[in-house]
Amino acid sequence: MFKNCHQKISPDPFYEACRFDTCHMPDSNIGCSSLETYALMCAEASICFDWRNLTNGLCAYKCPENKVYKPCGPTIVESCNAGFNNKLKEQCKGGGAACSGTMEGCFCPEGKILFGPDSNTCVSSCCTGPAGEPKQIGDTWKSGCKQCTCDKDTLSVVCQPIVCPTQKPIKCTQDGEVLVNQTVNCCQELSCECDKNRCSSPTHMCEPGFELKVQVSNESCCPVYSC
């Protein structure tokens, strides 16, 4: 499997090391280290291939479910963090092996990108929720007084002001009630509320032999007077 690399790098010492490890060591997988080292040197010489896939699982490289194995992935991995990406690009303007080289490892599958430079989460869009969490395409949420969506066309967050329902006119006819304008769930809401300081002064006069009775109830704002 390494024949294309033989002309650039001699396989002999790696072959002898692999044979010794496989024949004399109790762990049969230990021979993979020689293959891995030779494959790494071949990759540095721009000869790369998925050699692990040809070992029938003996030298398999295990990746988490959300990532895929690549024998020669990029050494510079961009993420949804635009500032971090720009910093990497600035560092790589002069070229160098660190920027143009390859490395073996686990990477996000095609069509996905790391959510952040220190994140292991692969996302199909770079939408971010109000707490900085990743959002999937089609997700909707409320942020402040706006309704936000992870838009499938722009692959970014699109927010629109919340549309408030039209409120019917309201009149406060009971004694002591005042019209109050409050903000409820980002929308203006009119209501009648009781202000006892606005209750009318008692003008009720009782005939001789009767006394004035004051009744206070939860059903009315102001006291009810009777004889």
Side-chain angles (χ1 to χ4, degrees):
M1 65 180 76
F2 292 101
K3 62 181 181 180
N4 292 333
C5 187
H6 291 174
Q7 293 181 349
K8 292 191 174 183
I9 302 170
S10 173
D12 294 343
F14 301 95
Y15 172 76
E16 292 300 331
C18 181
R19 187 170 66 171
F20 179 85
D21 290 340
T22 303
C23 296
H24 298 282
M25 295 295 177
D27 184 3
S28 61
N29 291 2
I30 199 169
C32 296
S33 60
S34 299
L35 296 174
E36 185 175 319
T37 304
Y38 187 61
L40 177 63
M41 297 183 68
C42 291
E44 291 175 354
S46 300
I47 301 174
C48 184
F49 46 89
D50 188 359
W51 62 274
R52 291 184 185 273
N53 192 41
L54 302 175
T55 63
N56 295 324
L58 186 66
C59 302
Y61 197 107
K62 293 183 179 179
C63 288
E65 291 183 0
N66 64 319
K67 292 188 175 182
V68 295
Y69 167 75
K70 291 183 181 179
C72 298
T75 53
I76 300 298
V77 180
E78 292 190 353
S79 70
C80 284
N81 189 319
F84 181 78
N85 294 343
N86 292 333
K87 182 180 178 181
L88 291 178
K89 291 175 182 177
E90 283 294 324
Q91 293 175 346
C92 290
K93 276 187 175 179
C99 299
S100 59
T102 61
M103 67 177 181
E104 181 183 44
C106 300
F107 299 86
C108 289
E110 292 297 325
K112 292 194 174 185
I113 187 174
L114 278 178
F115 183 66
D118 298 322
S119 171
N120 284 321
T121 302
C122 296
V123 293
S124 54
S125 72
C126 289
C127 294
T128 305
E133 74 278 16
K135 291 290 187 180
Q136 300 298 322
I137 295 174
D139 285 353
T140 59
W141 65 95
K142 187 178 177 182
S143 180
C145 287
K146 293 183 177 181
Q147 187 70 27
C148 299
T149 303
C150 183
D151 187 67
K152 63 181 179 62
D153 296 322
T154 62
L155 301 181
S156 61
V157 177
V158 176
C159 295
Q160 300 289 342
I162 291 176
V163 179
C164 295
T166 302
Q167 189 172 2
K168 295 180 180 179
I170 185 172
K171 289 184 178 181
C172 301
T173 57
Q174 298 295 323
D175 187 23
E177 285 186 339
V178 292
L179 188 64
V180 176
N181 189 357
Q182 293 180 319
T183 301
V184 179
N185 294 328
C186 299
C187 293
Q188 298 297 311
E189 188 174 288
L190 296 173
S191 62
C192 292
E193 293 191 5
C194 178
D195 184 356
K196 293 189 180 295
N197 294 325
R198 300 210 175 193
C199 289
S200 302
S201 300
T203 57
H204 205 95
M205 300 295 292
C206 293
E207 296 179 0
F210 290 87
E211 64 178 0
L212 186 66
K213 183 179 179 182
V214 181
Q215 184 177 0
V216 179
S217 70
N218 293 329
E219 296 179 359
S220 60
C221 174
C222 299
V224 176
Y225 301 94
S226 62
C227 293

PDB file of all heavy atoms in Angstrom, residues 23-43:
ATOM      1  N   CYS A  23       5.949  -9.627  15.772  1.00  0.00           N
ATOM      2  CA  CYS A  23       6.347 -11.011  16.065  1.00  0.00           C
ATOM      3  C   CYS A  23       6.772 -11.225  17.514  1.00  0.00           C
ATOM      4  O   CYS A  23       6.675 -12.344  18.025  1.00  0.00           O
ATOM      5  CB  CYS A  23       7.506 -11.424  15.155  1.00  0.00           C
ATOM      6  SG  CYS A  23       7.058 -11.467  13.400  1.00  0.00           S
ATOM      7  N   HIS A  24       7.241 -10.173  18.172  1.00  0.00           N
ATOM      8  CA  HIS A  24       7.836 -10.360  19.502  1.00  0.00           C
ATOM      9  C   HIS A  24       7.084  -9.660  20.620  1.00  0.00           C
ATOM     10  O   HIS A  24       7.407  -9.876  21.785  1.00  0.00           O
ATOM     11  CB  HIS A  24       9.294  -9.875  19.497  1.00  0.00           C
ATOM     12  CG  HIS A  24      10.165 -10.627  18.547  1.00  0.00           C
ATOM     13  ND1 HIS A  24      10.659 -11.893  18.824  1.00  0.00           N
ATOM     14  CD2 HIS A  24      10.623 -10.306  17.305  1.00  0.00           C
ATOM     15  CE1 HIS A  24      11.386 -12.319  17.799  1.00  0.00           C
ATOM     16  NE2 HIS A  24      11.382 -11.376  16.858  1.00  0.00           N
ATOM     17  N   MET A  25       6.111  -8.831  20.298  1.00  0.00           N
ATOM     18  CA  MET A  25       5.383  -8.117  21.345  1.00  0.00           C
ATOM     19  C   MET A  25       4.007  -8.762  21.553  1.00  0.00           C
ATOM     20  O   MET A  25       3.395  -9.237  20.606  1.00  0.00           O
ATOM     21  CB  MET A  25       5.205  -6.641  20.970  1.00  0.00           C
ATOM     22  CG  MET A  25       6.521  -5.885  20.898  1.00  0.00           C
ATOM     23  SD  MET A  25       7.300  -5.809  22.525  1.00  0.00           S
ATOM     24  CE  MET A  25       8.832  -4.972  22.100  1.00  0.00           C
ATOM     25  N   PRO A  26       3.526  -8.785  22.814  1.00  0.00           N
ATOM     26  CA  PRO A  26       2.240  -9.453  23.091  1.00  0.00           C
ATOM     27  C   PRO A  26       1.044  -8.731  22.446  1.00  0.00           C
ATOM     28  O   PRO A  26       0.040  -9.379  22.134  1.00  0.00           O
ATOM     29  CB  PRO A  26       2.148  -9.408  24.626  1.00  0.00           C
ATOM     30  CG  PRO A  26       3.072  -8.290  25.041  1.00  0.00           C
ATOM     31  CD  PRO A  26       4.172  -8.277  24.041  1.00  0.00           C
ATOM     32  N   ASP A  27       1.162  -7.428  22.261  1.00  0.00           N
ATOM     33  CA  ASP A  27       0.053  -6.666  21.672  1.00  0.00           C
ATOM     34  C   ASP A  27       0.237  -6.625  20.159  1.00  0.00           C
ATOM     35  O   ASP A  27       1.180  -6.015  19.655  1.00  0.00           O
ATOM     36  CB  ASP A  27       0.023  -5.245  22.255  1.00  0.00           C
ATOM     37  CG  ASP A  27      -1.167  -4.447  21.741  1.00  0.00           C
ATOM     38  OD1 ASP A  27      -1.988  -5.004  20.989  1.00  0.00           O
ATOM     39  OD2 ASP A  27      -1.272  -3.258  22.099  1.00  0.00           O
ATOM     40  N   SER A  28      -0.674  -7.265  19.429  1.00  0.00           N
ATOM     41  CA  SER A  28      -0.529  -7.335  17.969  1.00  0.00           C
ATOM     42  C   SER A  28      -0.721  -5.971  17.313  1.00  0.00           C
ATOM     43  O   SER A  28      -0.258  -5.740  16.198  1.00  0.00           O
ATOM     44  CB  SER A  28      -1.540  -8.340  17.395  1.00  0.00           C
ATOM     45  OG  SER A  28      -2.870  -7.923  17.704  1.00  0.00           O
ATOM     46  N   ASN A  29      -1.413  -5.041  18.017  1.00  0.00           N
ATOM     47  CA  ASN A  29      -1.661  -3.715  17.436  1.00  0.00           C
ATOM     48  C   ASN A  29      -0.438  -2.820  17.469  1.00  0.00           C
ATOM     49  O   ASN A  29      -0.446  -1.752  16.852  1.00  0.00           O
ATOM     50  CB  ASN A  29      -2.804  -3.013  18.185  1.00  0.00           C
ATOM     51  CG  ASN A  29      -4.145  -3.664  17.939  1.00  0.00           C
ATOM     52  OD1 ASN A  29      -4.209  -4.669  17.237  1.00  0.00           O
ATOM     53  ND2 ASN A  29      -5.191  -3.121  18.517  1.00  0.00           N
ATOM     54  N   ILE A  30       0.598  -3.215  18.173  1.00  0.00           N
ATOM     55  CA  ILE A  30       1.753  -2.344  18.330  1.00  0.00           C
ATOM     56  C   ILE A  30       2.469  -2.112  16.994  1.00  0.00           C
ATOM     57  O   ILE A  30       3.162  -1.120  16.811  1.00  0.00           O
ATOM     58  CB  ILE A  30       2.721  -2.918  19.384  1.00  0.00           C
ATOM     59  CG1 ILE A  30       3.669  -1.808  19.879  1.00  0.00           C
ATOM     60  CG2 ILE A  30       3.535  -4.094  18.825  1.00  0.00           C
ATOM     61  CD1 ILE A  30       4.462  -2.203  21.098  1.00  0.00           C
ATOM     62  N   GLY A  31       2.276  -3.034  16.039  1.00  0.00           N
ATOM     63  CA  GLY A  31       2.880  -2.846  14.723  1.00  0.00           C
ATOM     64  C   GLY A  31       2.318  -1.644  14.000  1.00  0.00           C
ATOM     65  O   GLY A  31       2.927  -1.133  13.049  1.00  0.00           O
ATOM     66  N   CYS A  32       1.164  -1.155  14.427  1.00  0.00           N
ATOM     67  CA  CYS A  32       0.543   0.012  13.783  1.00  0.00           C
ATOM     68  C   CYS A  32       1.399   1.264  13.951  1.00  0.00           C
ATOM     69  O   CYS A  32       1.335   2.171  13.114  1.00  0.00           O
ATOM     70  CB  CYS A  32      -0.847   0.267  14.366  1.00  0.00           C
ATOM     71  SG  CYS A  32      -2.034  -1.067  14.068  1.00  0.00           S
ATOM     72  N   SER A  33       2.175   1.344  15.019  1.00  0.00           N
ATOM     73  CA  SER A  33       2.969   2.557  15.261  1.00  0.00           C
ATOM     74  C   SER A  33       4.008   2.768  14.162  1.00  0.00           C
ATOM     75  O   SER A  33       4.277   3.900  13.758  1.00  0.00           O
ATOM     76  CB  SER A  33       3.643   2.478  16.634  1.00  0.00           C
ATOM     77  OG  SER A  33       4.505   1.354  16.704  1.00  0.00           O
ATOM     78  N   SER A  34       4.591   1.689  13.663  1.00  0.00           N
ATOM     79  CA  SER A  34       5.571   1.814  12.578  1.00  0.00           C
ATOM     80  C   SER A  34       4.895   2.274  11.292  1.00  0.00           C
ATOM     81  O   SER A  34       5.408   3.144  10.566  1.00  0.00           O
ATOM     82  CB  SER A  34       6.273   0.476  12.343  1.00  0.00           C
ATOM     83  OG  SER A  34       6.972   0.070  13.495  1.00  0.00           O
ATOM     84  N   LEU A  35       3.728   1.703  11.011  1.00  0.00           N
ATOM     85  CA  LEU A  35       2.972   2.120   9.828  1.00  0.00           C
ATOM     86  C   LEU A  35       2.556   3.592   9.949  1.00  0.00           C
ATOM     87  O   LEU A  35       2.619   4.351   8.979  1.00  0.00           O
ATOM     88  CB  LEU A  35       1.725   1.243   9.677  1.00  0.00           C
ATOM     89  CG  LEU A  35       1.948  -0.239   9.405  1.00  0.00           C
ATOM     90  CD1 LEU A  35       0.609  -0.986   9.438  1.00  0.00           C
ATOM     91  CD2 LEU A  35       2.623  -0.440   8.055  1.00  0.00           C
ATOM     92  N   GLU A  36       2.142   3.974  11.150  1.00  0.00           N
ATOM     93  CA  GLU A  36       1.694   5.356  11.379  1.00  0.00           C
ATOM     94  C   GLU A  36       2.840   6.337  11.156  1.00  0.00           C
ATOM     95  O   GLU A  36       2.667   7.389  10.533  1.00  0.00           O
ATOM     96  CB  GLU A  36       1.152   5.472  12.804  1.00  0.00           C
ATOM     97  CG  GLU A  36       0.548   6.824  13.115  1.00  0.00           C
ATOM     98  CD  GLU A  36      -0.075   6.850  14.504  1.00  0.00           C
ATOM     99  OE1 GLU A  36      -0.731   5.867  14.903  1.00  0.00           O
ATOM    100  OE2 GLU A  36       0.101   7.870  15.203  1.00  0.00           O
ATOM    101  N   THR A  37       4.006   5.996  11.661  1.00  0.00           N
ATOM    102  CA  THR A  37       5.174   6.882  11.504  1.00  0.00           C
ATOM    103  C   THR A  37       5.571   7.010  10.035  1.00  0.00           C
ATOM    104  O   THR A  37       5.856   8.113   9.544  1.00  0.00           O
ATOM    105  CB  THR A  37       6.357   6.344  12.323  1.00  0.00           C
ATOM    106  OG1 THR A  37       5.960   6.197  13.681  1.00  0.00           O
ATOM    107  CG2 THR A  37       7.539   7.296  12.238  1.00  0.00           C
ATOM    108  N   TYR A  38       5.572   5.893   9.329  1.00  0.00           N
ATOM    109  CA  TYR A  38       5.948   5.924   7.905  1.00  0.00           C
ATOM    110  C   TYR A  38       4.909   6.712   7.101  1.00  0.00           C
ATOM    111  O   TYR A  38       5.253   7.508   6.226  1.00  0.00           O
ATOM    112  CB  TYR A  38       6.068   4.501   7.368  1.00  0.00           C
ATOM    113  CG  TYR A  38       6.619   4.437   5.963  1.00  0.00           C
ATOM    114  CD1 TYR A  38       7.887   4.931   5.668  1.00  0.00           C
ATOM    115  CD2 TYR A  38       5.876   3.874   4.926  1.00  0.00           C
ATOM    116  CE1 TYR A  38       8.401   4.874   4.389  1.00  0.00           C
ATOM    117  CE2 TYR A  38       6.377   3.809   3.634  1.00  0.00           C
ATOM    118  CZ  TYR A  38       7.652   4.307   3.374  1.00  0.00           C
ATOM    119  OH  TYR A  38       8.159   4.261   2.092  1.00  0.00           O
ATOM    120  N   ALA A  39       3.624   6.510   7.424  1.00  0.00           N
ATOM    121  CA  ALA A  39       2.555   7.231   6.721  1.00  0.00           C
ATOM    122  C   ALA A  39       2.666   8.733   6.961  1.00  0.00           C
ATOM    123  O   ALA A  39       2.424   9.540   6.056  1.00  0.00           O
ATOM    124  CB  ALA A  39       1.199   6.718   7.178  1.00  0.00           C
ATOM    125  N   LEU A  40       3.061   9.111   8.182  1.00  0.00           N
ATOM    126  CA  LEU A  40       3.215  10.534   8.498  1.00  0.00           C
ATOM    127  C   LEU A  40       4.334  11.153   7.669  1.00  0.00           C
ATOM    128  O   LEU A  40       4.191  12.262   7.124  1.00  0.00           O
ATOM    129  CB  LEU A  40       3.503  10.692  10.000  1.00  0.00           C
ATOM    130  CG  LEU A  40       3.757  12.122  10.481  1.00  0.00           C
ATOM    131  CD1 LEU A  40       2.522  12.983  10.271  1.00  0.00           C
ATOM    132  CD2 LEU A  40       4.148  12.123  11.965  1.00  0.00           C
ATOM    133  N   MET A  41       5.444  10.436   7.533  1.00  0.00           N
ATOM    134  CA  MET A  41       6.567  10.947   6.733  1.00  0.00           C
ATOM    135  C   MET A  41       6.180  11.008   5.251  1.00  0.00           C
ATOM    136  O   MET A  41       6.584  11.931   4.543  1.00  0.00           O
ATOM    137  CB  MET A  41       7.797  10.070   6.949  1.00  0.00           C
ATOM    138  CG  MET A  41       8.304  10.085   8.383  1.00  0.00           C
ATOM    139  SD  MET A  41       9.807   9.118   8.614  1.00  0.00           S
ATOM    140  CE  MET A  41      10.992  10.093   7.694  1.00  0.00           C
ATOM    141  N   CYS A  42       5.401  10.043   4.799  1.00  0.00           N
ATOM    142  CA  CYS A  42       4.953  10.060   3.409  1.00  0.00           C
ATOM    143  C   CYS A  42       4.024  11.249   3.163  1.00  0.00           C
ATOM    144  O   CYS A  42       4.088  11.901   2.119  1.00  0.00           O
ATOM    145  CB  CYS A  42       4.217   8.759   3.073  1.00  0.00           C
ATOM    146  SG  CYS A  42       5.295   7.304   3.021  1.00  0.00           S
ATOM    147  N   ALA A  43       3.151  11.536   4.145  1.00  0.00           N
ATOM    148  CA  ALA A  43       2.238  12.666   4.011  1.00  0.00           C
ATOM    149  C   ALA A  43       3.005  13.974   3.925  1.00  0.00           C
ATOM    150  O   ALA A  43       2.640  14.888   3.176  1.00  0.00           O
ATOM    151  CB  ALA A  43       1.260  12.693   5.187  1.00  0.00           C
TER     152      ALA A  43
END
